[in-house]
Amino acid sequence: MALQLQFQFQYPFLSHNSPTPLPKPFPFSPLFSKNSLNFLNKPLLIKPYPTKLQAVSDLSATTIQDDDVILGPTSEDDEVAEYDWTEEWYPLYLTKDVPDDAPLGLTVFDKQIVLFRDGGGVFHCYEDRCPHRLAKLSEGQLIDGRLECLYHGWQFEGEGKCVKIPQLPANAKIPKSACVKTYEVKESQGVLWVWMSLKTPPKVDKLPWFENFARPGFQDVSTVHELPYDHSILLENLMDPAHIPISHDRTDWTAKREDAQALRFEVTERTNRGFAGWWGKEKDPSLPNFLRFEAPCVLQNNRELTDEKGVKNYFTGLFLCRPTGQGKSMLIVRFGGTKRSNLAKWFPKWYFHQNASKVFEQDMGFLSSQNEVLMKEKVPTKNLYLNLRSSDTWVAEYRKWMDKVGHGMPYYFGHNTISLPKTPAVVEHAPAGLVAGVSASAPAKGGIGTMHAPNLANRYFRHVIHCKGCSSVVKAFEAWKNALASVALALTALAILASGRQWKSFLLVSAGLCLAGVYGCSTAIAMNTTNFVRTHRRL
């Protein structure tokens, strides 16, 4: 996936007519706690950004070969920060896409959890394990707002309390130990977040709050994707604008391989929580894009543009990455702005969703192989990567940040240090919960060799089952396809039986139009469910 803030090109629904970059975008901190920005009652708070580091040149403090080309460590010290991966908020799901009538099985690193709405529409998050015999609660169902385990019918509600055990005698009490562990979950700006610590109370001030998404007139297109590689590989890819012209050549008629060029980066902040700075093309008079990475897995890129009337417009590419286990991740992508092109209004949302899936598929092969090499070589990235000053600054910053805090993660690959997973990855032959949303229409929950197969290389499984909009679109096109095919068959039969030449012609033309509709529906279904296959072309 490309970290591309030239929205008017790569993402036409956010295009901006005659954009004129500011001489230098007004610096602002795009990540606030919710308590510091009450948009409904107060004016937007614009916090001045920290002054540029006096020693930004420390990017070149240690070089490997050529000072003008190779990027070494991003700082001279080997600072280690206090960090506990559980004491963080992790993005779970887009609120609008959580099923109303079924539990949803999710993971954060190796922790399996289940998310559901109760009868009052309140979200709850439990450990995905029934205390009885360890069956997955995400394979269960919702009964009167309670979560029922489908193994023996035990039911849970509220803060994990067991309220029904069918096998108990009528006068027996439910054991106090028959309860499930619960995790705090909160909704913010259309996204559900989970606090993973069972020991430390949730810290609300850590809950991400994004200023641009609270601005008047801000609109975004959001998608959810499961991906078959580690979240650190995903974050690297997202903070790498240099790969866009090559990997996504001619995607949306914009990215062009001949536009590949040197870039400039300027780090303005490094903390134990992440880093931030400006970037742009080497020939840009100023650096127009502002990037911030914030622990544990939030990345955003912002840009301000001024139109011909002098009105400022704000654009954001927001990436919320959740580690879902060894070699797996889930990403919520949100591209938005305060101005939207008129052309974009003519395109349905599913078109942008399938295009986002295409972009991920263009990167998927080599990102998966990169993940395999890291696991095989078992050495820090400084022994494997050849980072360039003109393209890989953010990647080097990120891996160096991992050196600071990786000790507090289940596993990590840093610039100078690594910690391998302590337990082997578990391969589930019947993944639970992930297909709960389509279980009613596909009871087998993913038959091998079908569109619904539980395979992270399958676009339907990676995106469509997580997106209510795309799922509805696919079902609608399938219904129209079947209806038009039936009408076409009936019209053809009538044309054969008709005696008049005019009637035959009319019926056959009508049948042809229905078949054209069948073809159109089939094309739309394929766009939503079929992977992009790269075809190399001669230059």
Side-chain angles (χ1 to χ4, degrees):
M1 182 64 187
L3 178 55
Q4 165 104 309
L5 259 292
Q6 294 173 325
F7 296 103
Q8 66 270 29
F9 302 121
Q10 183 75 10
Y11 296 90
F13 59 89
L14 295 175
S15 69
H16 184 69
N17 297 328
S18 303
T20 303
L22 299 174
K24 186 74 172 182
F26 183 82
F28 62 92
S29 178
L31 183 60
F32 289 86
S33 70
K34 191 170 183 178
N35 292 337
S36 70
L37 180 61
N38 187 337
F39 172 68
L40 296 177
N41 300 318
K42 301 177 182 178
L44 288 176
L45 300 177
I46 306 297
K47 184 173 68 175
Y49 202 79
T51 59
K52 297 175 183 178
L53 297 179
Q54 295 179 352
V56 172
S57 60
D58 68 0
L59 282 169
S60 58
T62 305
T63 57
I64 302 173
Q65 297 176 23
D66 187 337
D67 287 349
D68 296 327
V69 179
I70 305 301
L71 178 67
T74 55
S75 64
E76 296 179 352
D77 58 5
D78 293 319
E79 178 186 355
V80 175
E82 290 186 9
Y83 192 79
D84 183 341
W85 75 270
T86 66
E87 296 181 7
E88 299 284 359
W89 292 98
Y90 290 85
L92 280 183
Y93 228 63
L94 287 170
T95 308
K96 64 182 179 61
D97 287 331
V98 177
D100 297 316
D101 56 355
L104 184 64
L106 303 167
T107 58
V108 180
F109 280 113
D110 60 342
K111 299 298 183 183
Q112 296 177 331
I113 56 180
V114 57
L115 176 70
F116 71 98
R117 300 179 197 249
D118 65 17
V122 178
F123 291 103
H124 298 278
C125 189
Y126 298 163
E127 182 180 30
D128 196 5
R129 178 192 298 180
C130 181
H132 178 212
R133 296 265 289 282
L134 311 183
K136 282 194 169 184
L137 294 173
S138 57
E139 286 280 14
Q141 60 185 344
L142 298 181
I143 304 292
D144 298 327
R146 299 187 297 269
L147 179 57
E148 180 183 84
C149 176
L150 272 181
Y151 198 1
H152 294 91
W154 290 29
Q155 293 184 1
F156 305 88
E157 67 179 11
E159 297 304 311
K161 180 181 179 181
C162 183
V163 294
K164 182 178 181 180
I165 299 179
Q167 294 78 21
L168 283 181
N171 58 348
K173 293 184 179 180
I174 296 176
K176 293 183 178 180
S177 58
C179 59
V180 292
K181 295 179 181 178
T182 63
Y183 295 92
E184 185 75 18
V185 62
K186 288 188 178 297
E187 195 274 343
S188 177
Q189 296 181 300
V191 175
L192 283 166
W193 300 79
V194 63
W195 178 261
M196 288 304 297
S197 178
L198 295 174
K199 300 177 181 179
T200 306
K203 298 179 180 178
V204 180
D205 60 331
K206 277 190 171 184
L207 187 66
W209 177 258
F210 305 102
E211 179 187 2
N212 278 355
F213 283 76
R215 293 184 185 278
F218 193 91
Q219 299 181 57
D220 73 287
V221 173
S222 302
T223 57
V224 177
H225 306 268
E226 273 199 286
L227 297 164
Y229 40 84
D230 188 73
H231 80 288
S232 66
I233 300 291
L234 172 61
L235 279 165
E236 264 192 12
N237 177 241
L238 295 172
M239 60 179 67
D240 173 21
H243 83 284
I244 295 168
I246 305 297
S247 299
H248 309 303
D249 182 25
R250 267 67 185 180
T251 300
D252 263 7
W253 312 285
T254 58
K256 300 177 181 179
R257 62 180 301 110
E258 52 267 29
D259 289 339
Q261 60 190 279
L263 303 174
R264 284 195 297 131
F265 303 87
E266 189 172 3
V267 182
T268 56
E269 179 184 343
R270 295 189 187 99
T271 71
N272 294 338
R273 300 288 301 164
F275 56 88
W278 301 90
W279 68 274
K281 298 177 181 178
E282 189 177 47
K283 62 183 180 181
D284 288 342
S286 62
L287 302 180
N289 306 301
F290 177 77
L291 175 141
R292 177 184 287 277
F293 167 73
E294 185 85 8
C297 47
V298 173
L299 179 70
Q300 59 179 313
N301 207 63
N302 296 281
R303 189 168 185 173
E304 294 180 19
L305 296 173
T306 303
D307 63 18
E308 61 278 5
K309 298 180 180 179
V311 177
K312 281 187 180 179
N313 285 288
Y314 302 86
F315 301 91
T316 292
L318 178 63
F319 307 94
L320 308 177
C321 312
R322 173 163 47 87
T324 58
Q326 297 176 42
K328 297 184 293 182
S329 55
M330 178 172 273
L331 173 67
I332 297 175
V333 184
R334 308 189 73 181
F335 277 96
T338 53
K339 188 168 185 177
R340 193 169 183 234
S341 71
N342 292 325
L343 180 63
K345 299 175 183 178
W346 293 92
F347 288 87
K349 280 190 175 181
W350 65 261
Y351 172 82
F352 299 112
H353 285 210
Q354 64 83 29
N355 191 69
S357 296
K358 176 182 178 181
V359 172
F360 282 111
E361 288 152 10
Q362 290 172 331
D363 288 343
M364 190 176 300
F366 48 78
L367 293 182
S368 296
S369 63
Q370 181 184 355
N371 202 140
E372 293 171 6
V373 171
L374 284 176
M375 293 301 296
K376 179 181 178 181
E377 297 291 339
K378 299 180 174 63
V379 296
T381 59
K382 73 173 182 180
N383 297 338
L384 297 171
Y385 290 7
L386 194 64
N387 287 329
L388 302 179
R389 296 179 185 281
S390 55
S391 60
D392 302 315
T393 294
W394 301 138
V395 172
E397 288 287 339
Y398 175 59
R399 291 299 177 181
K400 191 65 177 179
W401 175 79
M402 295 283 269
D403 286 335
K404 288 185 180 182
V405 304
H407 64 88
M409 298 181 181
Y411 51 86
Y412 78 100
F413 285 83
H415 179 80
N416 292 302
T417 59
I418 65 170
S419 176
L420 298 175
K422 296 179 175 58
T423 58
V426 176
V427 178
E428 296 183 77
H429 296 286
L434 295 175
V435 288
V438 295
S439 60
S441 59
K445 285 198 173 184
I448 299 302
T450 71
M451 179 176 70
H452 306 281
N455 181 353
L456 288 182
N458 179 308
R459 182 182 292 191
Y460 185 90
F461 192 79
R462 285 196 335 272
H463 169 68
V464 175
I465 66 169
H466 298 292
C467 177
K468 284 185 178 180
C470 288
S471 294
S472 299
V473 163
V474 170
K475 290 179 181 178
F477 277 123
E478 286 176 337
W480 276 103
K481 174 185 173 182
N482 294 333
L484 289 170
S486 299
V487 172
L489 181 62
L491 290 173
T492 302
L494 289 174
I496 294 173
L497 296 176
S499 56
R501 181 176 299 177
Q502 290 182 337
W503 274 108
K504 281 183 179 289
S505 299
F506 173 77
L507 292 170
L508 288 174
V509 169
S510 298
L513 292 175
C514 288
L515 290 176
V518 170
Y519 176 79
C521 290
S522 298
T523 300
I525 293 171
M527 290 175 68
N528 282 280
T529 60
T530 304
N531 281 15
F532 165 82
V533 177
R534 189 185 300 277
T535 56
H536 295 281
R537 59 189 179 86
R538 294 181 182 274
L539 300 179

